[in-house]
Amino acid sequence: MKKLTLTLIFCLVLVEIQAQRIAIMGALDEEIAILKEEMGKYKTQNKGGIDFFLGKLRGQKVVLLKAGVGKVNASYSTAVLTENYRPKTLIFTGVAGGLAPDAMPGDIVIGEQLVQYDFGQIDSTGFQVSPFRRLSGGNHQELFIQADSELVKMAKTAADQSELEPISGWKPRIFQGVIATGDVFVSSDQKARELYDEFGALATEMEGAAIAHICRTLEIPFVIIRSCSDNANNHARVNFNTFVGPASVNSARIVLGILDQM
């Protein structure tokens, strides 16, 4: 009986310790590399085929991981993360394609709202985007998923105070607004304009809204930070390969700035 009691206490303490961690995710190795380096000492745990790096950043207990590219990989990684570590907060860092008409590689978009633009139905009038669905069935009323307002404020403060790397001589600007998520690498002037016109989206990427959906379901505060590596236009692939490195660094520096405020 005593042994069983001690085991239960240990499990409860372990859960409590894990619950205090801040989760930080990126889709690519480049997006988490600077944070992994900043951690210095860390412990690696493999859960469900995913390496989780546990340590401290700016005095905060964190769990860092690469989510993989696309909504399915991001959803799976988030599910494994939340099941094993029960984070109190989730921050996603990475790159995206800028959508505003004057967007430039290097500009930062802090996601206040996320929308899954490739989820919906096709009828005689064409494709119609639908609100995200409840696990129990039926759609939510709202089309957009709201990020945590306090984390958004902290991200903006961090972005304003961070020393960001110029990209091709361009000093990054900071934007807040909608990020559009879909399982598509957008490299089309026309599609970029459509996403901007239809949703007012300032950036497009392949993971954010899926992660946001899970966080909303589990009531985990979250924020998505995206540094534009390209303009999602006809030259996006070339620009992405050129700027993914420095753009990832800038996004990671904002994450560090958020942790400094916690």
Side-chain angles (χ1 to χ4, degrees), residues 141-162:
Q141 291 185 345
E142 64 271 31
L143 186 65
F144 299 93
I145 304 174
Q146 302 283 338
D148 182 78
S149 59
E150 288 303 313
L151 287 173
V152 169
K153 290 179 183 178
M154 294 169 73
K156 178 61 166 61
T157 298
D160 290 338
Q161 296 177 351
S162 296

PDB file of all heavy atoms in Angstrom, residues 141-162:
ATOM      1  N   GLN A 141     -19.450  28.293 -35.093  1.00  0.00           N
ATOM      2  CA  GLN A 141     -20.066  29.410 -35.813  1.00  0.00           C
ATOM      3  C   GLN A 141     -19.029  30.300 -36.479  1.00  0.00           C
ATOM      4  O   GLN A 141     -19.226  30.794 -37.577  1.00  0.00           O
ATOM      5  CB  GLN A 141     -20.921  30.241 -34.851  1.00  0.00           C
ATOM      6  CG  GLN A 141     -22.167  29.515 -34.368  1.00  0.00           C
ATOM      7  CD  GLN A 141     -23.058  30.413 -33.512  1.00  0.00           C
ATOM      8  OE1 GLN A 141     -22.633  31.467 -33.054  1.00  0.00           O
ATOM      9  NE2 GLN A 141     -24.292  29.986 -33.312  1.00  0.00           N
ATOM     10  N   GLU A 142     -17.907  30.506 -35.805  1.00  0.00           N
ATOM     11  CA  GLU A 142     -16.915  31.433 -36.327  1.00  0.00           C
ATOM     12  C   GLU A 142     -15.957  30.744 -37.297  1.00  0.00           C
ATOM     13  O   GLU A 142     -15.648  29.563 -37.152  1.00  0.00           O
ATOM     14  CB  GLU A 142     -16.130  32.091 -35.188  1.00  0.00           C
ATOM     15  CG  GLU A 142     -15.283  31.162 -34.352  1.00  0.00           C
ATOM     16  CD  GLU A 142     -16.022  30.558 -33.177  1.00  0.00           C
ATOM     17  OE1 GLU A 142     -17.244  30.354 -33.286  1.00  0.00           O
ATOM     18  OE2 GLU A 142     -15.355  30.263 -32.165  1.00  0.00           O
ATOM     19  N   LEU A 143     -15.496  31.508 -38.273  1.00  0.00           N
ATOM     20  CA  LEU A 143     -14.560  30.993 -39.278  1.00  0.00           C
ATOM     21  C   LEU A 143     -13.127  31.068 -38.776  1.00  0.00           C
ATOM     22  O   LEU A 143     -12.294  30.220 -39.110  1.00  0.00           O
ATOM     23  CB  LEU A 143     -14.707  31.802 -40.576  1.00  0.00           C
ATOM     24  CG  LEU A 143     -13.908  31.327 -41.788  1.00  0.00           C
ATOM     25  CD1 LEU A 143     -14.375  29.954 -42.241  1.00  0.00           C
ATOM     26  CD2 LEU A 143     -14.047  32.338 -42.935  1.00  0.00           C
ATOM     27  N   PHE A 144     -12.843  32.084 -37.953  1.00  0.00           N
ATOM     28  CA  PHE A 144     -11.483  32.329 -37.495  1.00  0.00           C
ATOM     29  C   PHE A 144     -11.278  31.827 -36.067  1.00  0.00           C
ATOM     30  O   PHE A 144     -12.177  31.910 -35.235  1.00  0.00           O
ATOM     31  CB  PHE A 144     -11.163  33.831 -37.540  1.00  0.00           C
ATOM     32  CG  PHE A 144     -11.244  34.422 -38.925  1.00  0.00           C
ATOM     33  CD1 PHE A 144     -12.419  34.998 -39.376  1.00  0.00           C
ATOM     34  CD2 PHE A 144     -10.150  34.391 -39.769  1.00  0.00           C
ATOM     35  CE1 PHE A 144     -12.510  35.546 -40.652  1.00  0.00           C
ATOM     36  CE2 PHE A 144     -10.216  34.935 -41.037  1.00  0.00           C
ATOM     37  CZ  PHE A 144     -11.398  35.512 -41.484  1.00  0.00           C
ATOM     38  N   ILE A 145     -10.078  31.328 -35.798  1.00  0.00           N
ATOM     39  CA  ILE A 145      -9.699  30.894 -34.454  1.00  0.00           C
ATOM     40  C   ILE A 145      -8.829  31.985 -33.842  1.00  0.00           C
ATOM     41  O   ILE A 145      -7.821  32.388 -34.425  1.00  0.00           O
ATOM     42  CB  ILE A 145      -8.935  29.559 -34.488  1.00  0.00           C
ATOM     43  CG1 ILE A 145      -9.761  28.486 -35.211  1.00  0.00           C
ATOM     44  CG2 ILE A 145      -8.607  29.101 -33.061  1.00  0.00           C
ATOM     45  CD1 ILE A 145      -9.024  27.185 -35.416  1.00  0.00           C
ATOM     46  N   GLN A 146      -9.222  32.441 -32.672  1.00  0.00           N
ATOM     47  CA  GLN A 146      -8.524  33.548 -32.020  1.00  0.00           C
ATOM     48  C   GLN A 146      -7.321  33.050 -31.226  1.00  0.00           C
ATOM     49  O   GLN A 146      -7.424  32.095 -30.459  1.00  0.00           O
ATOM     50  CB  GLN A 146      -9.479  34.274 -31.063  1.00  0.00           C
ATOM     51  CG  GLN A 146     -10.732  34.822 -31.697  1.00  0.00           C
ATOM     52  CD  GLN A 146     -10.471  36.104 -32.475  1.00  0.00           C
ATOM     53  OE1 GLN A 146      -9.493  36.802 -32.247  1.00  0.00           O
ATOM     54  NE2 GLN A 146     -11.350  36.412 -33.409  1.00  0.00           N
ATOM     55  N   ALA A 147      -6.181  33.725 -31.404  1.00  0.00           N
ATOM     56  CA  ALA A 147      -5.018  33.454 -30.563  1.00  0.00           C
ATOM     57  C   ALA A 147      -5.212  34.134 -29.211  1.00  0.00           C
ATOM     58  O   ALA A 147      -6.104  34.979 -29.042  1.00  0.00           O
ATOM     59  CB  ALA A 147      -3.756  33.970 -31.235  1.00  0.00           C
ATOM     60  N   ASP A 148      -4.395  33.768 -28.237  1.00  0.00           N
ATOM     61  CA  ASP A 148      -4.479  34.370 -26.916  1.00  0.00           C
ATOM     62  C   ASP A 148      -4.049  35.831 -26.985  1.00  0.00           C
ATOM     63  O   ASP A 148      -2.944  36.152 -27.444  1.00  0.00           O
ATOM     64  CB  ASP A 148      -3.580  33.604 -25.941  1.00  0.00           C
ATOM     65  CG  ASP A 148      -3.660  34.146 -24.533  1.00  0.00           C
ATOM     66  OD1 ASP A 148      -4.632  33.842 -23.837  1.00  0.00           O
ATOM     67  OD2 ASP A 148      -2.742  34.905 -24.149  1.00  0.00           O
ATOM     68  N   SER A 149      -4.897  36.731 -26.524  1.00  0.00           N
ATOM     69  CA  SER A 149      -4.646  38.166 -26.678  1.00  0.00           C
ATOM     70  C   SER A 149      -3.405  38.622 -25.918  1.00  0.00           C
ATOM     71  O   SER A 149      -2.656  39.492 -26.380  1.00  0.00           O
ATOM     72  CB  SER A 149      -5.868  38.975 -26.229  1.00  0.00           C
ATOM     73  OG  SER A 149      -6.178  38.710 -24.871  1.00  0.00           O
ATOM     74  N   GLU A 150      -3.165  38.048 -24.722  1.00  0.00           N
ATOM     75  CA  GLU A 150      -1.990  38.450 -23.941  1.00  0.00           C
ATOM     76  C   GLU A 150      -0.703  38.003 -24.623  1.00  0.00           C
ATOM     77  O   GLU A 150       0.294  38.739 -24.638  1.00  0.00           O
ATOM     78  CB  GLU A 150      -2.072  37.867 -22.526  1.00  0.00           C
ATOM     79  CG  GLU A 150      -3.111  38.535 -21.648  1.00  0.00           C
ATOM     80  CD  GLU A 150      -2.886  40.038 -21.525  1.00  0.00           C
ATOM     81  OE1 GLU A 150      -1.728  40.445 -21.287  1.00  0.00           O
ATOM     82  OE2 GLU A 150      -3.853  40.798 -21.673  1.00  0.00           O
ATOM     83  N   LEU A 151      -0.718  36.807 -25.192  1.00  0.00           N
ATOM     84  CA  LEU A 151       0.469  36.327 -25.909  1.00  0.00           C
ATOM     85  C   LEU A 151       0.722  37.152 -27.161  1.00  0.00           C
ATOM     86  O   LEU A 151       1.878  37.401 -27.531  1.00  0.00           O
ATOM     87  CB  LEU A 151       0.309  34.847 -26.262  1.00  0.00           C
ATOM     88  CG  LEU A 151       0.428  33.866 -25.098  1.00  0.00           C
ATOM     89  CD1 LEU A 151       0.079  32.454 -25.558  1.00  0.00           C
ATOM     90  CD2 LEU A 151       1.835  33.893 -24.506  1.00  0.00           C
ATOM     91  N   VAL A 152      -0.340  37.576 -27.815  1.00  0.00           N
ATOM     92  CA  VAL A 152      -0.192  38.441 -28.991  1.00  0.00           C
ATOM     93  C   VAL A 152       0.471  39.760 -28.585  1.00  0.00           C
ATOM     94  O   VAL A 152       1.385  40.247 -29.267  1.00  0.00           O
ATOM     95  CB  VAL A 152      -1.554  38.700 -29.660  1.00  0.00           C
ATOM     96  CG1 VAL A 152      -1.445  39.795 -30.715  1.00  0.00           C
ATOM     97  CG2 VAL A 152      -2.080  37.413 -30.302  1.00  0.00           C
ATOM     98  N   LYS A 153       0.024  40.329 -27.470  1.00  0.00           N
ATOM     99  CA  LYS A 153       0.621  41.577 -26.977  1.00  0.00           C
ATOM    100  C   LYS A 153       2.097  41.379 -26.655  1.00  0.00           C
ATOM    101  O   LYS A 153       2.945  42.226 -26.979  1.00  0.00           O
ATOM    102  CB  LYS A 153      -0.126  42.069 -25.735  1.00  0.00           C
ATOM    103  CG  LYS A 153      -1.530  42.587 -26.001  1.00  0.00           C
ATOM    104  CD  LYS A 153      -2.191  43.016 -24.698  1.00  0.00           C
ATOM    105  CE  LYS A 153      -3.624  43.458 -24.931  1.00  0.00           C
ATOM    106  NZ  LYS A 153      -4.290  43.821 -23.646  1.00  0.00           N
ATOM    107  N   MET A 154       2.410  40.276 -26.008  1.00  0.00           N
ATOM    108  CA  MET A 154       3.794  39.992 -25.653  1.00  0.00           C
ATOM    109  C   MET A 154       4.645  39.790 -26.902  1.00  0.00           C
ATOM    110  O   MET A 154       5.807  40.233 -26.959  1.00  0.00           O
ATOM    111  CB  MET A 154       3.862  38.761 -24.751  1.00  0.00           C
ATOM    112  CG  MET A 154       3.216  38.967 -23.397  1.00  0.00           C
ATOM    113  SD  MET A 154       3.007  37.439 -22.449  1.00  0.00           S
ATOM    114  CE  MET A 154       4.691  37.117 -21.973  1.00  0.00           C
ATOM    115  N   ALA A 155       4.083  39.154 -27.913  1.00  0.00           N
ATOM    116  CA  ALA A 155       4.808  38.946 -29.164  1.00  0.00           C
ATOM    117  C   ALA A 155       5.097  40.275 -29.849  1.00  0.00           C
ATOM    118  O   ALA A 155       6.187  40.486 -30.396  1.00  0.00           O
ATOM    119  CB  ALA A 155       4.012  38.035 -30.084  1.00  0.00           C
ATOM    120  N   LYS A 156       4.117  41.183 -29.821  1.00  0.00           N
ATOM    121  CA  LYS A 156       4.311  42.502 -30.431  1.00  0.00           C
ATOM    122  C   LYS A 156       5.404  43.273 -29.691  1.00  0.00           C
ATOM    123  O   LYS A 156       6.285  43.888 -30.316  1.00  0.00           O
ATOM    124  CB  LYS A 156       3.003  43.279 -30.380  1.00  0.00           C
ATOM    125  CG  LYS A 156       3.081  44.697 -30.951  1.00  0.00           C
ATOM    126  CD  LYS A 156       3.469  44.705 -32.427  1.00  0.00           C
ATOM    127  CE  LYS A 156       3.214  46.056 -33.087  1.00  0.00           C
ATOM    128  NZ  LYS A 156       3.981  47.166 -32.486  1.00  0.00           N
ATOM    129  N   THR A 157       5.369  43.236 -28.362  1.00  0.00           N
ATOM    130  CA  THR A 157       6.404  43.905 -27.571  1.00  0.00           C
ATOM    131  C   THR A 157       7.773  43.311 -27.870  1.00  0.00           C
ATOM    132  O   THR A 157       8.756  44.038 -28.068  1.00  0.00           O
ATOM    133  CB  THR A 157       6.102  43.768 -26.069  1.00  0.00           C
ATOM    134  OG1 THR A 157       4.858  44.403 -25.783  1.00  0.00           O
ATOM    135  CG2 THR A 157       7.199  44.399 -25.233  1.00  0.00           C
ATOM    136  N   ALA A 158       7.836  41.989 -27.931  1.00  0.00           N
ATOM    137  CA  ALA A 158       9.106  41.315 -28.215  1.00  0.00           C
ATOM    138  C   ALA A 158       9.620  41.670 -29.603  1.00  0.00           C
ATOM    139  O   ALA A 158      10.820  41.904 -29.796  1.00  0.00           O
ATOM    140  CB  ALA A 158       8.927  39.806 -28.097  1.00  0.00           C
ATOM    141  N   ALA A 159       8.712  41.720 -30.575  1.00  0.00           N
ATOM    142  CA  ALA A 159       9.115  42.061 -31.941  1.00  0.00           C
ATOM    143  C   ALA A 159       9.654  43.480 -32.023  1.00  0.00           C
ATOM    144  O   ALA A 159      10.657  43.751 -32.701  1.00  0.00           O
ATOM    145  CB  ALA A 159       7.933  41.887 -32.890  1.00  0.00           C
ATOM    146  N   ASP A 160       8.997  44.394 -31.317  1.00  0.00           N
ATOM    147  CA  ASP A 160       9.434  45.798 -31.325  1.00  0.00           C
ATOM    148  C   ASP A 160      10.796  45.968 -30.664  1.00  0.00           C
ATOM    149  O   ASP A 160      11.581  46.854 -31.039  1.00  0.00           O
ATOM    150  CB  ASP A 160       8.410  46.675 -30.610  1.00  0.00           C
ATOM    151  CG  ASP A 160       7.118  46.827 -31.393  1.00  0.00           C
ATOM    152  OD1 ASP A 160       7.152  46.633 -32.622  1.00  0.00           O
ATOM    153  OD2 ASP A 160       6.081  47.145 -30.769  1.00  0.00           O
ATOM    154  N   GLN A 161      11.097  45.118 -29.689  1.00  0.00           N
ATOM    155  CA  GLN A 161      12.327  45.273 -28.920  1.00  0.00           C
ATOM    156  C   GLN A 161      13.466  44.384 -29.412  1.00  0.00           C
ATOM    157  O   GLN A 161      14.613  44.577 -28.991  1.00  0.00           O
ATOM    158  CB  GLN A 161      12.048  44.973 -27.448  1.00  0.00           C
ATOM    159  CG  GLN A 161      11.079  45.946 -26.786  1.00  0.00           C
ATOM    160  CD  GLN A 161      10.765  45.581 -25.351  1.00  0.00           C
ATOM    161  OE1 GLN A 161      11.123  44.504 -24.866  1.00  0.00           O
ATOM    162  NE2 GLN A 161      10.083  46.478 -24.648  1.00  0.00           N
ATOM    163  N   SER A 162      13.175  43.435 -30.292  1.00  0.00           N
ATOM    164  CA  SER A 162      14.201  42.497 -30.759  1.00  0.00           C
ATOM    165  C   SER A 162      15.069  43.112 -31.846  1.00  0.00           C
ATOM    166  O   SER A 162      14.613  43.948 -32.635  1.00  0.00           O
ATOM    167  CB  SER A 162      13.552  41.217 -31.295  1.00  0.00           C
ATOM    168  OG  SER A 162      12.862  40.534 -30.283  1.00  0.00           O
TER     169      SER A 162
END
